[in-house]
Amino acid sequence: MRAIEPTQSGHLTLEGFQIYYETFGDPAAPPVLLLPTWHIVHSRSWKMQIAYLARSCFVITYDPPGNGGGERTENPAAFEYDRIVDQGIGLLDYLSVAQASVIGVSRGSIYGMWMATRYPERVSRLVIIGNSVSPDLALPTAPDPRFWKRRESYEGWQKFNGLYWREHYRDFLEFFMSEVFSEPHSTKGIEDGIGWGMETTPEILARTVDYSATPHTLTARDVIKSVRCPVLIIHGSDDRRCAIEISQKLAEARPDFEFVTLEGCGHLPDARNPVKVNLEIAEFLNLPKPKHRTWRRAMSRHMPRALYISSPIGLGHVQRDLAIARELRRLVPDLQIEWLAQPPVTRVLEQAGESIHPMSKLLASESAHWEQSSAHHDLHCFYAFREMDEILLANFMVFLEAARATPYDLWIGDEAWEVDYYLHENPELKTAPFVFLTDFLGWLPIDRTTGSREASLTADYNAEMLEQVARYPRVRDRALYIGDYDDLIPEQFGPGLPLIPDWAREHFTAVGYVTPFNPADFVDTRALRGRLGYDPEQPLIIYAVGGTAVGEPLLRKAIDAWPLIHRERPEARCIVVAGPRIDPRSLPLHEGMEVRAYVHNLFEHLAAADLGVVQGGLSTTMELTINHRPFIYFPIKSHCEQVYNVAYRLDRYHAGTRLDYATTSIETLANAALATLGADTSGYRPQNPGAAWRAASLIAELL
């Protein structure tokens, strides 16, 4: 799922060839044209800028012929630099844009400089990243015969060869993307680049190198002298494609150009280091600031303010966050809390009377992305997380804007991985104490075969996190683990990396499992049932599969098993909780069964049940465990947290009956339900109460 969808898109025939374009944001806002770059990628390479810029700009992108939505052709005329520039101007004409700020990366820097020279009235400001324009730049005027010459070996940049591309195209892409993403832990950028490169052909790509010249009368020196608009140069010091010396020469020739060096960055910092690049672009383009900002003199801040970021993945997070917030207010009575959250979390917060930050409406939907990543009780959570990079970046930029608009005394992030990650990547942006909460540590691969790519990727993600924390421990003022140290699965973060529990003991404080209730309030099950409107004498079964549609197959399987259960236990009653993303009307009904779309404080109803049938999510299963209720749970296939971490924790508590969705028939589920209904749970390991208070006490110290 994209962080933002285009408001307009389509194909146009310009300069004799078909291009594809997209626009984002309000057409009345200041226009920004994001230029194409080399045809080895396409306009999706701007994904880390679009959502951020579109909040205050009218963003325009286009794919010329060769890749993306552009037509596929090997006609060398399609790849002429001037033609691609003219297509950009033609697109502005089509969109009735008289003048725009223009941004180009790599080869796009050439397009940008040419556009600013040939159409000075159309370019208000120019940003060039990974620049390849210098006074001694000479575009080819004829094919380079060396490009088609067979070589004895193809090591390193010798792979930049037409014959090699024909025979080993993917290998070239892997090499090239590893060079342009030279920063450590850049597997996602490399993978994206390879994928985009595979959308064109080696023959087309060869034409863009061999016949990229166009008849022109100006030299690069003439172009550099002719540019009249303000220019910002952004260049990484570790650029292995266009050495930083190229931009240094350009800056020497035009000392009026702004020049930002990004030390330790590679060729595409817009993709790999997007926060810094976005902020530099925003400052240079004078993008509109938030219309409503608040500042209070420090000595007048008698009422502390906190910004609380609550994860939308599972409603259990917000319930524990509310529990911590209640305890925190007892300790700091005048504390004001604003919540940065998105549906369905906002529904729970609103019902609790909490204040939701107005910028919450700008957040890209994380839960919708997880929905799109799931299929039939199967959700590979690691890959789903990996694929939401642009969503996480977009949401961090929203957080950053909210944090800059108001001087908060504290930031609290529950599973706010995007905030934690980008603060570690940009520690200078931290302006308030930051509390990070999580009940999950360490990606583990589902595929554990020798040489598994997934195992390599999960270890790399874990290693990056460990390195970040080691380098900048000051980013997390409090790191709280929601659970006990012994709840952590005793596995390594990866080969050569520490054991998860050992590392956690050094870097996290375990506070115990936080519940939104006091278990003592639910000991009297008969009284609880009476309060909730259930017959104290009637066996009660509750089916609940969380707030996402990935659980619908399990819900339907459990519903199909109900007639078999009801036949043996006709006095029993079944409540099916569909959740916010499953239409209750789409589910079948049977005698003795009731379907509800949503149940407020579901944990109370589960505490009254004689049996719960649920997914393997931590919140629901731990609430059942703490209240000593019998339950059957089905970890979602490929969901490493549920398959490994949650299951390990529940085994430690001797709680629940684990079943596999794929191998469990309707009859098997019915038999398991009958065997578990009202089962003895005295063997569950007791939980140490007061976790919400312990967490709040540690947080309150920062206030």
Side-chain angles (χ1 to χ4, degrees), residues 381-556:
C381 66
F382 170 69
Y383 285 131
F385 178 83
R386 198 163 180 264
E387 287 298 321
M388 67 190 294
D389 54 346
E390 65 180 289
I391 293 174
L392 294 175
L393 183 278
N395 289 346
F396 176 79
M397 300 306 294
V398 172
F399 156 80
L400 186 61
E401 190 170 326
R404 286 179 156 187
T406 301
Y408 290 101
D409 299 284
L410 181 66
W411 302 334
I412 307 171
D414 186 356
E415 306 285 1
W417 292 99
E418 73 280 16
V419 175
D420 184 72
Y421 178 82
Y422 284 112
L423 284 179
H424 278 94
E425 289 286 283
N426 305 269
E428 68 279 2
L429 298 178
K430 181 175 180 286
T431 58
F434 174 53
V435 178
F436 181 63
L437 298 85
T438 185
D439 58 36
F440 168 74
L441 276 175
W443 294 107
L444 296 174
I446 296 296
D447 179 5
R448 299 196 168 203
T449 57
T450 302
S452 159
R453 174 166 172 73
E454 183 190 349
S456 174
L457 290 175
T458 53
D460 184 72
Y461 269 60
N462 292 336
E464 182 177 30
M465 185 267 292
L466 301 186
E467 291 168 17
Q468 284 181 326
V469 172
R471 180 64 184 87
Y472 288 104
R474 64 181 174 84
V475 168
R476 298 174 178 173
D477 295 271
R478 291 287 186 275
L480 306 182
Y481 176 65
I482 309 299
D484 300 326
Y485 292 123
D486 289 341
D487 293 336
L488 289 159
I489 190 167
E491 292 202 28
Q492 289 178 285
F493 283 104
L497 299 176
L499 282 169
I500 295 172
D502 293 348
W503 185 86
R505 282 181 166 86
E506 294 182 23
H507 297 92
F508 277 81
T509 301
V511 296
Y513 193 78
V514 176
T515 61
F517 54 82
N518 182 350
D521 295 340
F522 300 148
V523 172
D524 189 342
T525 306
R526 291 179 60 84
L528 177 62
R529 287 187 180 181
R531 178 167 63 82
L532 297 176
Y534 298 119
D535 183 348
E537 304 297 334
Q538 186 177 36
L540 177 64
I541 299 176
I542 294 182
Y543 295 164
V545 294
T548 59
V550 68
E552 183 171 350
L554 171 59
L555 206 58
R556 290 184 176 276

Side-chain angles (χ1 to χ4, degrees), residues 231-306:
V231 176
L232 170 64
I233 309 166
I234 300 176
H235 213 123
S237 66
D238 191 38
D239 191 329
R240 301 177 188 177
R241 178 62 181 150
C242 299
I244 194 171
E245 287 77 15
I246 296 174
S247 285
Q248 290 170 343
K249 290 179 181 178
L250 176 60
E252 289 172 3
R254 288 296 301 264
D256 55 320
F257 289 0
E258 292 189 36
F259 183 20
V260 176
T261 298
L262 302 184
E263 294 187 357
C265 296
H267 185 55
L268 299 179
D270 52 302
R272 188 60 181 86
N273 305 278
V275 172
K276 179 59 177 174
V277 170
N278 289 352
L279 294 177
E280 289 290 346
I281 291 173
E283 182 178 353
F284 179 72
L285 299 187
N286 296 318
L287 296 189
K289 294 181 172 60
K291 294 181 179 179
H292 302 286
R293 300 189 297 279
T294 302
W295 185 84
R296 180 179 293 169
R297 184 173 176 270
M299 296 307 293
S300 301
R301 297 176 193 171
H302 304 304
M303 300 177 66
R305 305 179 74 166

Side-chain angles (χ1 to χ4, degrees), residues 67-106:
N67 204 339
E71 72 169 276
R72 299 297 187 268
T73 177
E74 295 180 19
N75 184 340
F79 313 117
E80 294 171 351
Y81 288 7
D82 281 4
R83 189 183 302 272
I84 293 173
V85 168
D86 291 343
Q87 287 169 340
I89 295 297
L91 176 58
L92 294 181
D93 291 339
Y94 175 78
L95 297 171
S96 301
V97 174
Q99 190 180 60
S101 298
V102 175
I103 306 177
V105 168
S106 191

Side-chain angles (χ1 to χ4, degrees), residues 128-272:
I128 50 179
I129 305 168
N131 166 55
S132 58
V133 179
S134 70
D136 53 4
L137 171 68
L139 294 179
T141 56
D144 183 353
R146 294 174 300 176
F147 181 68
W148 290 106
K149 183 178 180 181
R150 188 169 294 280
R151 296 167 179 169
E152 293 183 2
S153 65
Y154 293 92
E155 300 298 326
W157 284 102
Q158 292 177 331
K159 295 179 179 181
F160 205 92
N161 175 275
L163 295 178
Y164 191 79
W165 294 2
R166 283 177 176 172
E167 298 169 6
H168 307 282
Y169 183 52
R170 185 178 180 89
D171 182 74
F172 165 71
L173 291 176
E174 291 174 355
F175 162 75
F176 182 85
M177 294 303 168
S178 296
E179 288 293 298
V180 299
F181 288 102
S182 56
E183 300 92 337
H185 310 295
S186 294
T187 58
K188 185 60 171 68
I190 293 170
E191 186 176 279
D192 282 345
I194 294 170
W196 295 329
M198 292 298 292
E199 293 183 41
T200 188
T201 68
E203 291 295 341
I204 289 176
L205 199 63
R207 296 295 178 270
T208 71
V209 174
D210 225 0
Y211 297 93
S212 57
T214 185
H216 55 275
T217 57
L218 294 176
T219 66
R221 290 182 182 274
D222 295 330
V223 170
I224 293 169
K225 290 179 182 178
S226 301
V227 173
R228 291 293 172 260
C229 68
V231 176
L232 170 64
I233 309 166
I234 300 176
H235 213 123
S237 66
D238 191 38
D239 191 329
R240 301 177 188 177
R241 178 62 181 150
C242 299
I244 194 171
E245 287 77 15
I246 296 174
S247 285
Q248 290 170 343
K249 290 179 181 178
L250 176 60
E252 289 172 3
R254 288 296 301 264
D256 55 320
F257 289 0
E258 292 189 36
F259 183 20
V260 176
T261 298
L262 302 184
E263 294 187 357
C265 296
H267 185 55
L268 299 179
D270 52 302
R272 188 60 181 86

Side-chain angles (χ1 to χ4, degrees), residues 313-321 323-324 414-415 437-440 480-487 509-519 603 616-627 641 645-646 649-650 652-653 685-695:
I313 310 302
L315 293 179
H317 294 131
V318 68
Q319 292 288 1
R320 76 183 181 208
D321 292 336
I324 292 171
D414 186 356
E415 306 285 1
L437 298 85
T438 185
D439 58 36
F440 168 74
L480 306 182
Y481 176 65
I482 309 299
D484 300 326
Y485 292 123
D486 289 341
D487 293 336
T509 301
V511 296
Y513 193 78
V514 176
T515 61
F517 54 82
N518 182 350
F603 58 83
L618 181 63
S619 298
T620 302
T621 55
M622 281 302 293
E623 288 165 4
L624 287 161
T625 299
I626 290 168
N627 284 319
E641 182 185 8
N645 304 69
V646 177
R649 191 185 300 216
L650 293 177
R652 178 175 173 267
Y653 279 91
R685 180 190 293 270
Q687 169 77 11
N688 184 18
W693 181 86
R694 287 191 291 275

